[in-house]
mmCIF file of all heavy atoms in Angstrom:
data_model
loop_
_atom_site.group_PDB
_atom_site.id
_atom_site.type_symbol
_atom_site.label_atom_id
_atom_site.label_comp_id
_atom_site.label_asym_id
_atom_site.label_seq_id
_atom_site.Cartn_x
_atom_site.Cartn_y
_atom_site.Cartn_z
ATOM 1 N N HIS A 90 7.872 -2.679 -6.468
ATOM 2 C CA HIS A 90 8.945 -2.767 -7.458
ATOM 3 C C HIS A 90 10.170 -1.948 -7.040
ATOM 4 O O HIS A 90 11.314 -2.386 -7.230
ATOM 5 C CB HIS A 90 8.445 -2.295 -8.822
ATOM 6 C CG HIS A 90 7.475 -3.237 -9.476
ATOM 7 N ND1 HIS A 90 7.795 -4.551 -9.750
ATOM 8 C CD2 HIS A 90 6.198 -3.067 -9.908
ATOM 9 C CE1 HIS A 90 6.762 -5.147 -10.331
ATOM 10 N NE2 HIS A 90 5.781 -4.262 -10.430
ATOM 11 N N HIS A 91 9.945 -0.777 -6.482
ATOM 12 C CA HIS A 91 11.080 0.041 -6.045
ATOM 13 C C HIS A 91 11.787 -0.573 -4.844
ATOM 14 O O HIS A 91 13.017 -0.456 -4.718
ATOM 15 C CB HIS A 91 10.608 1.466 -5.727
ATOM 16 C CG HIS A 91 10.405 2.317 -6.954
ATOM 17 N ND1 HIS A 91 11.457 2.834 -7.678
ATOM 18 C CD2 HIS A 91 9.275 2.726 -7.587
ATOM 19 C CE1 HIS A 91 10.983 3.546 -8.701
ATOM 20 N NE2 HIS A 91 9.667 3.481 -8.663
ATOM 21 N N ILE A 92 11.047 -1.239 -3.968
ATOM 22 C CA ILE A 92 11.698 -1.948 -2.865
ATOM 23 C C ILE A 92 12.550 -3.094 -3.407
ATOM 24 O O ILE A 92 13.651 -3.364 -2.912
ATOM 25 C CB ILE A 92 10.653 -2.454 -1.857
ATOM 26 C CG1 ILE A 92 10.156 -1.288 -1.004
ATOM 27 C CG2 ILE A 92 11.243 -3.549 -0.962
ATOM 28 C CD1 ILE A 92 9.167 -1.667 0.060
ATOM 29 N N ALA A 93 12.050 -3.773 -4.441
ATOM 30 C CA ALA A 93 12.842 -4.840 -5.067
ATOM 31 C C ALA A 93 14.180 -4.294 -5.554
ATOM 32 O O ALA A 93 15.228 -4.942 -5.387
ATOM 33 C CB ALA A 93 12.061 -5.461 -6.230
ATOM 34 N N ASP A 94 14.165 -3.113 -6.144
ATOM 35 C CA ASP A 94 15.421 -2.492 -6.583
ATOM 36 C C ASP A 94 16.300 -2.148 -5.385
ATOM 37 O O ASP A 94 17.526 -2.342 -5.421
ATOM 38 C CB ASP A 94 15.127 -1.212 -7.379
ATOM 39 C CG ASP A 94 14.429 -1.483 -8.704
ATOM 40 O OD1 ASP A 94 14.505 -2.626 -9.193
ATOM 41 O OD2 ASP A 94 13.803 -0.549 -9.238
ATOM 42 N N LEU A 95 15.694 -1.640 -4.339
ATOM 43 C CA LEU A 95 16.442 -1.202 -3.164
ATOM 44 C C LEU A 95 17.163 -2.354 -2.482
ATOM 45 O O LEU A 95 18.356 -2.261 -2.167
ATOM 46 C CB LEU A 95 15.470 -0.542 -2.182
ATOM 47 C CG LEU A 95 16.046 0.198 -0.988
ATOM 48 C CD1 LEU A 95 16.767 1.458 -1.438
ATOM 49 C CD2 LEU A 95 14.930 0.553 -0.003
ATOM 50 N N ILE A 96 16.462 -3.462 -2.283
ATOM 51 C CA ILE A 96 17.072 -4.566 -1.542
ATOM 52 C C ILE A 96 18.093 -5.328 -2.381
ATOM 53 O O ILE A 96 18.906 -6.081 -1.848
ATOM 54 C CB ILE A 96 16.013 -5.547 -0.999
ATOM 55 C CG1 ILE A 96 15.225 -6.197 -2.124
ATOM 56 C CG2 ILE A 96 15.093 -4.850 -0.027
ATOM 57 C CD1 ILE A 96 14.195 -7.205 -1.642
ATOM 58 N N ASN A 97 18.066 -5.126 -3.699
ATOM 59 C CA ASN A 97 19.011 -5.828 -4.565
ATOM 60 C C ASN A 97 20.200 -4.971 -4.980
ATOM 61 O O ASN A 97 21.010 -5.386 -5.800
ATOM 62 C CB ASN A 97 18.294 -6.335 -5.821
ATOM 63 C CG ASN A 97 17.464 -7.562 -5.515
ATOM 64 O OD1 ASN A 97 17.790 -8.336 -4.626
ATOM 65 N ND2 ASN A 97 16.377 -7.725 -6.230
ATOM 66 N N GLU A 98 20.316 -3.777 -4.429
ATOM 67 C CA GLU A 98 21.490 -2.959 -4.707
ATOM 68 C C GLU A 98 22.752 -3.709 -4.253
ATOM 69 O O GLU A 98 22.797 -4.297 -3.173
ATOM 70 C CB GLU A 98 21.397 -1.629 -3.962
ATOM 71 C CG GLU A 98 20.421 -0.660 -4.583
ATOM 72 C CD GLU A 98 20.410 0.664 -3.852
ATOM 73 O OE1 GLU A 98 21.057 0.763 -2.794
ATOM 74 O OE2 GLU A 98 19.750 1.588 -4.330
ATOM 75 N N ASN A 99 23.758 -3.676 -5.120
ATOM 76 C CA ASN A 99 25.049 -4.328 -4.838
ATOM 77 C C ASN A 99 24.940 -5.837 -4.698
ATOM 78 O O ASN A 99 25.826 -6.481 -4.133
ATOM 79 C CB ASN A 99 25.674 -3.751 -3.554
ATOM 80 C CG ASN A 99 25.819 -2.245 -3.634
ATOM 81 O OD1 ASN A 99 26.222 -1.711 -4.671
ATOM 82 N ND2 ASN A 99 25.494 -1.554 -2.562
ATOM 83 N N ARG A 100 23.848 -6.414 -5.208
ATOM 84 C CA ARG A 100 23.710 -7.866 -5.209
ATOM 85 C C ARG A 100 23.589 -8.350 -6.646
ATOM 86 O O ARG A 100 22.890 -7.730 -7.447
ATOM 87 C CB ARG A 100 22.445 -8.295 -4.461
ATOM 88 C CG ARG A 100 22.574 -8.361 -2.957
ATOM 89 C CD ARG A 100 21.233 -8.755 -2.378
ATOM 90 N NE ARG A 100 21.336 -9.155 -0.992
ATOM 91 C CZ ARG A 100 20.314 -9.521 -0.251
ATOM 92 N NH1 ARG A 100 19.104 -9.523 -0.783
ATOM 93 N NH2 ARG A 100 20.466 -9.877 0.995
ATOM 94 N N PRO A 101 24.218 -9.441 -7.013
ATOM 95 C CA PRO A 101 24.006 -9.990 -8.352
ATOM 96 C C PRO A 101 22.590 -10.511 -8.489
ATOM 97 O O PRO A 101 22.056 -11.139 -7.577
ATOM 98 C CB PRO A 101 25.015 -11.137 -8.434
ATOM 99 C CG PRO A 101 25.274 -11.528 -7.009
ATOM 100 C CD PRO A 101 25.147 -10.259 -6.207
ATOM 101 N N LYS A 102 21.933 -10.218 -9.612
ATOM 102 C CA LYS A 102 20.534 -10.611 -9.818
ATOM 103 C C LYS A 102 20.412 -11.611 -10.958
ATOM 104 O O LYS A 102 21.164 -11.575 -11.926
ATOM 105 C CB LYS A 102 19.674 -9.379 -10.131
ATOM 106 C CG LYS A 102 19.616 -8.365 -9.024
ATOM 107 C CD LYS A 102 18.651 -7.265 -9.345
ATOM 108 C CE LYS A 102 19.170 -6.338 -10.420
ATOM 109 N NZ LYS A 102 20.307 -5.556 -9.990
ATOM 110 N N LYS A 103 19.447 -12.501 -10.825
ATOM 111 C CA LYS A 103 19.091 -13.379 -11.917
ATOM 112 C C LYS A 103 18.427 -12.560 -13.018
ATOM 113 O O LYS A 103 17.751 -11.575 -12.757
ATOM 114 C CB LYS A 103 18.132 -14.469 -11.433
ATOM 115 C CG LYS A 103 18.711 -15.392 -10.379
ATOM 116 C CD LYS A 103 17.657 -16.384 -9.928
ATOM 117 C CE LYS A 103 18.197 -17.292 -8.828
ATOM 118 N NZ LYS A 103 17.177 -18.245 -8.362
ATOM 119 N N SER A 104 18.614 -12.971 -14.222
ATOM 120 C CA SER A 104 18.023 -12.248 -15.346
ATOM 121 C C SER A 104 16.501 -12.222 -15.237
ATOM 122 O O SER A 104 15.860 -13.258 -15.096
ATOM 123 C CB SER A 104 18.435 -12.914 -16.669
ATOM 124 O OG SER A 104 17.818 -12.271 -17.754
ATOM 125 N N GLY A 105 15.926 -11.002 -15.288
ATOM 126 C CA GLY A 105 14.476 -10.856 -15.275
ATOM 127 C C GLY A 105 13.826 -11.133 -13.934
ATOM 128 O O GLY A 105 12.630 -11.296 -13.840
ATOM 129 N N ASN A 106 14.617 -11.181 -12.863
ATOM 130 C CA ASN A 106 14.064 -11.500 -11.553
ATOM 131 C C ASN A 106 14.681 -10.583 -10.515
ATOM 132 O O ASN A 106 15.817 -10.131 -10.674
ATOM 133 C CB ASN A 106 14.363 -12.962 -11.203
ATOM 134 C CG ASN A 106 13.461 -13.490 -10.093
ATOM 135 O OD1 ASN A 106 13.038 -12.750 -9.219
ATOM 136 N ND2 ASN A 106 13.177 -14.779 -10.140
ATOM 137 N N SER A 107 13.946 -10.318 -9.446
ATOM 138 C CA SER A 107 14.495 -9.463 -8.390
ATOM 139 C C SER A 107 15.178 -10.284 -7.298
ATOM 140 O O SER A 107 15.776 -9.732 -6.397
ATOM 141 C CB SER A 107 13.392 -8.621 -7.755
ATOM 142 O OG SER A 107 12.687 -9.378 -6.819
ATOM 143 N N GLN A 108 15.099 -11.596 -7.376
ATOM 144 C CA GLN A 108 15.713 -12.405 -6.341
ATOM 145 C C GLN A 108 17.228 -12.458 -6.532
ATOM 146 O O GLN A 108 17.717 -12.599 -7.649
ATOM 147 C CB GLN A 108 15.157 -13.831 -6.379
ATOM 148 C CG GLN A 108 13.661 -13.919 -6.092
ATOM 149 C CD GLN A 108 13.344 -13.719 -4.623
ATOM 150 O OE1 GLN A 108 13.980 -12.921 -3.961
ATOM 151 N NE2 GLN A 108 12.363 -14.425 -4.124
ATOM 152 N N PRO A 109 18.001 -12.333 -5.465
ATOM 153 C CA PRO A 109 19.450 -12.430 -5.589
ATOM 154 C C PRO A 109 19.874 -13.833 -6.002
ATOM 155 O O PRO A 109 19.190 -14.808 -5.735
ATOM 156 C CB PRO A 109 19.943 -12.096 -4.174
ATOM 157 C CG PRO A 109 18.789 -12.390 -3.290
ATOM 158 C CD PRO A 109 17.556 -12.103 -4.092
ATOM 159 N N GLN A 110 21.037 -13.941 -6.647
ATOM 160 C CA GLN A 110 21.475 -15.233 -7.176
ATOM 161 C C GLN A 110 21.825 -16.233 -6.087
ATOM 162 O O GLN A 110 21.892 -17.426 -6.353
ATOM 163 C CB GLN A 110 22.668 -15.019 -8.107
ATOM 164 C CG GLN A 110 22.277 -14.425 -9.452
ATOM 165 C CD GLN A 110 23.446 -14.383 -10.420
ATOM 166 O OE1 GLN A 110 24.598 -14.545 -10.030
ATOM 167 N NE2 GLN A 110 23.163 -14.161 -11.683
ATOM 168 N N ASP A 111 22.056 -15.750 -4.864
ATOM 169 C CA ASP A 111 22.401 -16.712 -3.816
ATOM 170 C C ASP A 111 21.183 -17.497 -3.338
ATOM 171 O O ASP A 111 21.299 -18.393 -2.518
ATOM 172 C CB ASP A 111 23.075 -16.003 -2.636
ATOM 173 C CG ASP A 111 22.184 -14.934 -1.992
ATOM 174 O OD1 ASP A 111 20.981 -14.913 -2.287
ATOM 175 O OD2 ASP A 111 22.711 -14.138 -1.201
ATOM 176 N N GLY A 112 20.004 -17.178 -3.882
ATOM 177 C CA GLY A 112 18.798 -17.927 -3.558
ATOM 178 C C GLY A 112 18.195 -17.580 -2.215
ATOM 179 O O GLY A 112 17.239 -18.216 -1.782
ATOM 180 N N LYS A 113 18.724 -16.565 -1.557
ATOM 181 C CA LYS A 113 18.222 -16.181 -0.246
ATOM 182 C C LYS A 113 16.771 -15.728 -0.340
ATOM 183 O O LYS A 113 16.414 -14.927 -1.187
ATOM 184 C CB LYS A 113 19.077 -15.054 0.335
ATOM 185 C CG LYS A 113 18.616 -14.550 1.690
ATOM 186 C CD LYS A 113 19.512 -13.416 2.169
ATOM 187 C CE LYS A 113 19.023 -12.870 3.510
ATOM 188 N NZ LYS A 113 17.711 -12.217 3.403
ATOM 189 N N LEU A 114 15.966 -16.256 0.532
ATOM 190 C CA LEU A 114 14.562 -15.888 0.549
ATOM 191 C C LEU A 114 14.409 -14.457 1.064
ATOM 192 O O LEU A 114 15.007 -14.069 2.063
ATOM 193 C CB LEU A 114 13.806 -16.848 1.459
ATOM 194 C CG LEU A 114 12.297 -16.952 1.263
ATOM 195 C CD1 LEU A 114 11.966 -17.483 -0.124
ATOM 196 C CD2 LEU A 114 11.721 -17.891 2.320
ATOM 197 N N ILE A 115 13.614 -13.665 0.365
ATOM 198 C CA ILE A 115 13.370 -12.289 0.779
ATOM 199 C C ILE A 115 12.158 -12.257 1.700
ATOM 200 O O ILE A 115 11.106 -12.831 1.405
ATOM 201 C CB ILE A 115 13.118 -11.383 -0.442
ATOM 202 C CG1 ILE A 115 14.333 -11.389 -1.374
ATOM 203 C CG2 ILE A 115 12.789 -9.964 -0.004
ATOM 204 C CD1 ILE A 115 15.604 -10.876 -0.755
ATOM 205 N N LYS A 116 12.311 -11.568 2.838
ATOM 206 C CA LYS A 116 11.229 -11.489 3.812
ATOM 207 C C LYS A 116 11.003 -10.035 4.209
ATOM 208 O O LYS A 116 11.954 -9.309 4.524
ATOM 209 C CB LYS A 116 11.558 -12.318 5.055
ATOM 210 C CG LYS A 116 10.405 -12.435 6.046
ATOM 211 C CD LYS A 116 10.765 -13.388 7.182
ATOM 212 C CE LYS A 116 9.588 -13.552 8.151
ATOM 213 N NZ LYS A 116 9.931 -14.482 9.264
ATOM 214 N N GLY A 117 9.744 -9.607 4.154
ATOM 215 C CA GLY A 117 9.408 -8.236 4.477
ATOM 216 C C GLY A 117 8.358 -8.141 5.566
ATOM 217 O O GLY A 117 7.596 -9.086 5.806
ATOM 218 N N LEU A 118 8.300 -6.978 6.222
ATOM 219 C CA LEU A 118 7.296 -6.679 7.230
ATOM 220 C C LEU A 118 6.433 -5.533 6.723
ATOM 221 O O LEU A 118 6.937 -4.450 6.430
ATOM 222 C CB LEU A 118 7.960 -6.282 8.550
ATOM 223 C CG LEU A 118 7.043 -5.702 9.640
ATOM 224 C CD1 LEU A 118 6.018 -6.728 10.090
ATOM 225 C CD2 LEU A 118 7.861 -5.198 10.838
ATOM 226 N N ASP A 119 5.144 -5.782 6.583
ATOM 227 C CA ASP A 119 4.192 -4.749 6.183
ATOM 228 C C ASP A 119 3.516 -4.209 7.440
ATOM 229 O O ASP A 119 2.695 -4.884 8.055
ATOM 230 C CB ASP A 119 3.158 -5.331 5.216
ATOM 231 C CG ASP A 119 2.150 -4.297 4.733
ATOM 232 O OD1 ASP A 119 2.316 -3.108 5.048
ATOM 233 O OD2 ASP A 119 1.193 -4.677 4.032
#
Side-chain angles (χ1 to χ4, degrees):
H90 289 302
H91 281 286
I92 284 182
D94 293 340
L95 190 69
I96 62 178
N97 284 330
E98 285 183 353
N99 305 318
R100 278 178 166 179
K102 297 186 288 292
K103 297 177 182 179
S104 177
N106 198 329
S107 81
Q108 297 285 37
Q110 285 187 346
D111 60 13
K113 178 181 178 294
L114 200 63
I115 300 299
K116 187 174 182 180
L118 170 63
D119 181 6

